[in-house]
Amino acid sequence: MRLNNVNTEIIEGRIYDQNLSIKTVQNQQSENYGKEFIQGSIDVATDEAGLNVLTVHYTYITEITKNGKADSRFSILKKIMEEDKTWLKVGKDGATKVRLTPSAALNDFYPQGGDQLVSQPRNEGGFINVVSELTSDEAKRRKFTFDVVITGATLVDATENSDEYVKLNAAIFNFKNAILPFPLVAKDSDAMNYFLNLEASPKDPVFTQVWGEIVNTTIKVEKVVESAFGTPSVDVSERSRKEWVITGAKPEPYVFGIESTITMEDLGKAVADRNVYLEEIKTRSKEYYNSKNNAIPTSKAPAPSTQIPQGGFSF
């Protein structure tokens, strides 16, 4: 399988809020024991109205890299923490402007040590630059480009809160080349028709490159509560929906099934590796919650199969 699958994002705008903190490595077995690192997130308003706010997560940013060089991200994040010039604190005009280049990732976990996997898509890591001016085209402040394996496309009917769109069964890859089942949608009519007519399937995957816009939409839901007398009351709740909306794709997909791109065997190994990774997370989660509840430890799960599933892959 090719080693340099593309997974890049550009998020540019004003810092809306920040949740960063300096911590120290607590693991006494680690060679970095006692050293400081920064962990947390930055919320970036990519539009002028402050409605399309995207979060970028930083898991472990140290002052010095493994190569012994200073990591500029540490000093920039530390300055962002200390100055705290966010939209919420100092207003739009005083907020720090940044250009971030994270990658798409998944936050995988098993709530309460259960068996139901939750995989939250998010933006993670990358370089950080403080800038004086922002790109005038707001759509270009929240871009992504992915190499992606597609195994299907489904037309989703329109609802009260959304027009019809096409949802892809797809997977991308992180910097370690680990496979990530990832939610991608197409909303433009030409894009919808393209993916529906692509005829990608679990038995006949398509490997290509797509690009588009990360959109965070706030949806207001009103619930009318009837009353025995007087006027009904209206409860209004809000929820956000973050989507990676495809706006373009390579004219010709990559050739699938050759060593320089990706083969079914490559997919089999990638999926098996992800299953092993998820089992490890599940085991640690169960052990943690069992220890809190003084429960009997669970037995280790059997190793996931590395065979190509009957009918091919579906993400």
Side-chain angles (χ1 to χ4, degrees):
M1 179 167 65
R2 63 187 293 181
L3 297 177
N4 298 314
N5 288 303
V6 176
N7 176 351
T8 60
E9 297 178 327
I10 294 174
I11 295 178
E12 183 180 307
R14 297 172 177 84
I15 297 180
Y16 190 80
D17 198 6
Q18 59 90 9
N19 182 28
L20 299 167
S21 60
I22 295 180
K23 301 185 176 183
T24 56
V25 177
Q26 299 297 310
N27 182 4
Q28 295 185 10
Q29 307 304 316
S30 170
E31 61 181 12
N32 294 317
Y33 173 66
K35 292 184 179 179
E36 290 186 339
F37 66 96
I38 293 178
Q39 186 178 81
S41 61
I42 297 176
D43 297 332
V44 180
T46 62
D47 63 331
E48 295 301 309
L51 299 176
N52 201 103
V53 178
L54 302 177
T55 301
V56 179
H57 296 267
Y58 300 92
T59 304
Y60 182 75
I61 305 297
T62 57
E63 187 171 7
I64 305 298
T65 68
K66 290 182 178 179
N67 297 327
K69 297 181 179 179
D71 190 334
S72 62
R73 297 177 301 172
F74 185 93
S75 58
I76 294 174
L77 289 175
K78 187 176 181 180
K79 186 175 182 180
I80 288 173
M81 289 172 54
E82 293 171 346
E83 293 184 344
D84 205 18
K85 292 182 178 179
T86 68
W87 188 314
L88 292 181
K89 291 287 181 64
V90 300
K92 172 184 174 180
D93 293 339
T96 301
K97 301 181 185 74
V98 291
R99 188 176 190 270
L100 312 178
T101 57
S103 298
L106 290 176
N107 180 27
D108 298 307
F109 61 96
Y110 291 85
Q112 303 300 314
D115 294 320
Q116 186 64 46
L117 171 67
V118 174
S119 294
Q120 294 178 335
R122 68 183 191 178
N123 317 294
E124 194 169 272
F127 293 107
I128 308 163
N129 288 289
V130 175
V131 297
S132 57
E133 299 293 334
L134 300 176
T135 302
S136 58
D137 186 347
E138 291 182 2
K140 293 183 179 180
R141 299 180 190 174
R142 43 182 182 259
K143 302 189 300 181
F144 69 84
T145 304
F146 299 150
D147 283 340
V148 58
V149 177
I150 303 170
T151 61
T154 304
L155 180 64
V156 179
D157 293 333
T159 66
E160 182 180 352
N161 297 316
S162 174
D163 295 331
E164 69 175 5
Y165 63 95
V166 166
K167 178 176 67 175
L168 300 186
N169 296 327
I172 62 176
F173 300 87
N174 66 15
F175 72 99
K176 295 181 180 179
N177 240 18
I179 199 166
L180 306 174
F182 205 81
L184 297 171
V185 299
K187 296 192 171 183
D188 175 81
S189 58
D190 289 339
M192 291 165 60
N193 290 331
Y194 172 80
F195 288 110
L196 290 172
N197 294 327
L198 200 56
E199 298 183 346
S201 70
K203 283 188 175 181
D204 191 18
V206 172
F207 185 35
T208 189
Q209 186 174 104
V210 300
W211 53 88
E213 180 183 357
I214 312 169
V215 180
N216 191 19
T217 305
T218 299
I219 301 172
K220 291 186 177 181
V221 180
E222 294 186 357
K223 182 180 179 181
V224 178
V225 181
E226 298 293 341
S227 173
F229 53 87
T231 59
S233 63
V234 180
D235 291 337
V236 180
S237 61
E238 292 186 354
R239 60 184 177 87
S240 61
R241 180 176 64 198
K242 185 164 56 180
E243 297 175 309
W244 280 255
V245 182
I246 298 172
T247 59
K250 284 177 63 70
E252 293 294 332
Y254 301 121
V255 177
F256 186 88
I258 60 176
E259 291 185 3
S260 60
T261 58
I262 195 169
T263 66
M264 291 296 276
E265 289 72 22
D266 292 331
L267 275 183
K269 183 179 186 307
V271 171
D273 288 345
R274 174 165 173 79
N275 289 339
V276 169
Y277 160 77
L278 292 177
E279 287 296 340
E280 291 173 350
I281 291 179
K282 182 191 291 187
T283 299
R284 290 199 298 269
S285 178
K286 287 184 178 295
E287 289 175 347
Y288 172 76
Y289 282 100
N290 284 340
S291 66
K292 289 182 64 177
N293 300 321
N294 296 318
I296 300 174
T298 56
S299 58
K300 187 176 181 180
S305 171
T306 59
Q307 295 181 348
I308 299 173
Q310 188 70 26
F313 297 97
S314 183
F315 306 117

